[in-house]
Amino acid sequence: MTTIKMIATAVLASGMALGAQAQQPSAKKNPVVQQRAERLSDQMARELRLNNYQTTKLRAINQDKVAKMAAIETRYAGNNKLIDEQCQGVCRERDQELRAVLTTDQYSDYYGRRPMYYKYDKDYAAQATDIMLVKAVQNPLPASAKGATITQTKDNNKPTSGGGR
């Protein structure tokens, strides 16, 4: 009986994950991705001393790149080597775009701090993923099949305590 419960739980968890992905049409509209991009942009703007124009451009660049990295992390979950390789490619795209936005001194500072920014973003992504997992377990979405919602019902077959036969 325990094995059946474990299988049912695994199937339910997979269904919730697929349902959550289906509800998010793009990673850019995902609030976690938006927060992640904003957090990284705030850190970079502060440390690189960007003006308003540069900060606006940086936010748009980071929104795009963080969304791409989140999609890579979802697609290749569990394969950290491939995730890092693919994400480094996205970071190289960001490098090219930032050359047109930053001054030479700012770009030099940025380039020297790239590993720190990458770690800063990855650490936040891992923390946000952990928080989302805990919330999903604590408040699971109802399972659904062809419009019929499956919910837990009261089990009337349980013996009551206290009374005699």
Side-chain angles (χ1 to χ4, degrees):
M1 198 69 162
T2 304
T3 305
I4 293 171
K5 285 183 182 178
M6 288 173 45
I7 292 171
T9 302
V11 169
L12 205 69
S14 298
M16 286 189 319
L18 290 173
Q21 286 178 352
Q23 291 174 358
Q24 297 169 356
S26 79
K28 286 184 181 182
K29 294 181 182 175
N30 181 332
V32 174
V33 171
Q34 289 175 338
Q35 283 180 326
R36 182 175 161 183
E38 287 296 314
R39 184 174 185 267
L40 178 62
S41 296
D42 290 346
Q43 181 76 11
M44 292 173 72
R46 205 173 23 256
E47 290 181 356
L48 299 173
R49 294 185 170 92
L50 305 185
N51 63 34
N52 288 341
Y53 172 81
Q54 291 172 315
T55 301
T56 300
K57 291 290 189 181
L58 174 71
R59 287 186 192 290
I61 292 168
N62 278 341
Q63 182 67 41
D64 179 54
K65 301 314 172 206
V66 169
K68 285 183 178 182
M69 289 191 281
I72 289 167
E73 291 161 359
T74 301
R75 183 173 185 185
Y76 301 111
N79 188 342
N80 289 336
K81 182 179 178 192
L82 187 56
I83 290 171
D84 281 340
E85 288 172 6
Q86 296 287 320
C87 286
Q88 289 301 326
V90 173
C91 288
R92 284 190 291 278
E93 289 176 20
R94 178 179 20 227
D95 295 347
Q96 293 302 315
E97 291 180 39
L98 286 177
R99 281 183 194 235
V101 174
L102 303 178
T103 66
T104 304
D105 287 342
Q106 288 170 330
Y107 188 81
S108 293
D109 287 346
Y110 158 74
Y111 200 82
R113 295 177 181 181
R114 275 182 349 153
M116 183 192 68
Y117 292 134
Y118 185 70
K119 182 180 180 332
Y120 184 79
D121 180 53
K122 294 293 272 187
D123 290 348
Y124 181 77
Q127 176 190 8
T129 302
D130 290 346
I131 291 169
M132 285 177 44
L133 178 61
V134 168
K135 286 182 180 178
V137 170
Q138 289 174 344
N139 302 310
L141 296 173
S144 175
K146 294 185 180 181
T149 302
I150 302 168
T151 60
Q152 185 175 1
T153 60
K154 183 177 177 184
D155 186 359
N156 292 329
N157 296 329
K158 283 185 181 177
T160 58
S161 61
R165 293 184 200 220

